[in-house]
Amino acid sequence: DGGITQSPKYLFRKEGQNVTLSCEQNLNHDAMYWYRQDPGQGLRLIYYSQIVNDFQKGDIAEGYSVSREKKESFPLTVTSAQKNPTAFYLCASTAGGPNEQFFGPGTRLTVL
Amino acid sequence: GNSVTQMEGPVTLSEEAFLTINCTYTATGYPSLFWYVQYPGEGLQLLLKATKADDKGSNKGFEATYRKETTSFHLEKGSVQVSDSAVYFCALSGLPITYKLSFGAGTTVTVRA
């Protein structure tokens, strides 16, 4: 079955540590996205990538970094510079244009 | 810029009640409009969509009509079930970046038996 996988489902990190969240899709989609979701809030865009080896900052990119070396993979690194990293992180992909985005199951990151 | 305003929740209903969640938007041109649903602890799933004025999206008993004149895309269901308890997000994609979604804040719906 085609879809998006995110791992791990739950992640705990100590303050000052970097952590990388995985996102893989087998939908052959060109565009991929990372969102952050906080309780009672909508989704906020962190980074997005339209093609391999290219990505753009979203609305809240500070303290995050990404790479897009393969079409199917778009990992997100939460760095120690991110001041409030505890949140639910969602990865998505789309075939492009004004089409719907398909979402992964999310990773819940907690900073201890 | 593009923005979406949703009815604030939470909304609590009894089974078989009528559900309406209001959604209005601000956008340039003719955006595509979406409703997504999120069940507890999960990612978002597309519920329905409409890509041009007067289009009606429908799925699982839910409906929403793209109203250009009122810039609205209200979600409705005639008879809700306990399994409809979730968070509902209205979203749009449009100019200047058609592949970027703008989301509303989400509306939490709880249906009681």
Side-chain angles (χ1 to χ4, degrees):
Chain A
D1 288 338
I4 301 176
T5 58
Q6 291 186 242
S7 62
K9 187 171 179 63
Y10 299 97
L11 188 56
F12 298 89
R13 151 195 136 175
K14 294 181 180 179
E15 281 192 28
Q17 290 181 335
N18 293 352
V19 63
T20 298
L21 283 60
S22 169
C23 177
E24 304 278 333
Q25 54 99 358
N26 61 4
L27 299 166
N28 199 34
H29 285 168
D30 288 316
M32 297 185 73
Y33 308 79
W34 274 106
Y35 293 92
R36 169 181 172 139
Q37 185 179 22
D38 294 285
Q41 297 189 31
L43 279 67
R44 293 183 289 170
L45 183 64
I46 303 173
Y47 268 97
Y48 62 98
S49 168
Q50 291 180 265
I51 56 172
V52 174
N53 293 321
D54 184 61
F55 49 82
Q56 310 294 329
K57 291 182 179 180
D59 301 318
I60 55 164
E62 185 176 351
Y64 300 97
S65 65
V66 294
S67 62
R68 187 82 186 279
E69 298 176 0
K70 299 185 295 183
K71 186 175 185 177
E72 60 271 22
S73 178
F74 190 41
L76 172 74
T77 296
V78 184
T79 75
S80 57
Q82 169 51 234
K83 299 200 183 313
N84 296 297
T86 294
F88 190 50
Y89 291 87
L90 289 160
C91 178
S93 71
T94 184
N99 294 304
E100 66 264 30
Q101 292 184 11
F102 293 81
F103 284 81
T107 292
R108 186 165 299 281
L109 173 64
T110 302
V111 173
L112 303 173
Chain B
N2 297 333
S3 67
V4 175
T5 302
Q6 264 183 259
M7 182 176 87
E8 290 189 15
V11 174
T12 302
L13 303 165
S14 298
E15 261 192 325
E16 300 183 4
F18 185 85
L19 171 67
T20 298
I21 304 175
N22 290 339
C23 171
T24 57
Y25 67 88
T26 301
T28 303
Y30 296 87
S32 294
L33 302 172
F34 308 88
W35 275 101
Y36 283 86
V37 60
Q38 183 180 34
Y39 299 103
E42 298 183 8
L44 275 67
Q45 302 174 23
L46 179 68
L47 183 58
L48 52 84
K49 69 177 183 179
T51 58
K52 61 182 187 294
D54 300 325
D55 265 2
K56 177 185 282 188
S58 61
N59 186 27
K60 300 180 181 179
F62 290 90
E63 293 184 341
T65 301
Y66 188 145
R67 300 288 187 197
K68 180 69 174 174
E69 64 276 13
T70 54
T71 61
S72 65
F73 193 54
H74 305 322
L75 182 69
E76 296 181 336
K77 186 173 185 181
S79 177
V80 294
Q81 304 300 313
V82 172
S83 57
D84 293 324
S85 298
V87 182
Y88 293 83
F89 292 94
C90 185
L92 71 83
S93 68
L95 297 173
I97 305 174
T98 57
Y99 45 82
K100 182 180 174 183
L101 278 178
S102 298
F103 285 89
T107 302
T108 300
V109 174
T110 301
V111 180
R112 295 182 174 171

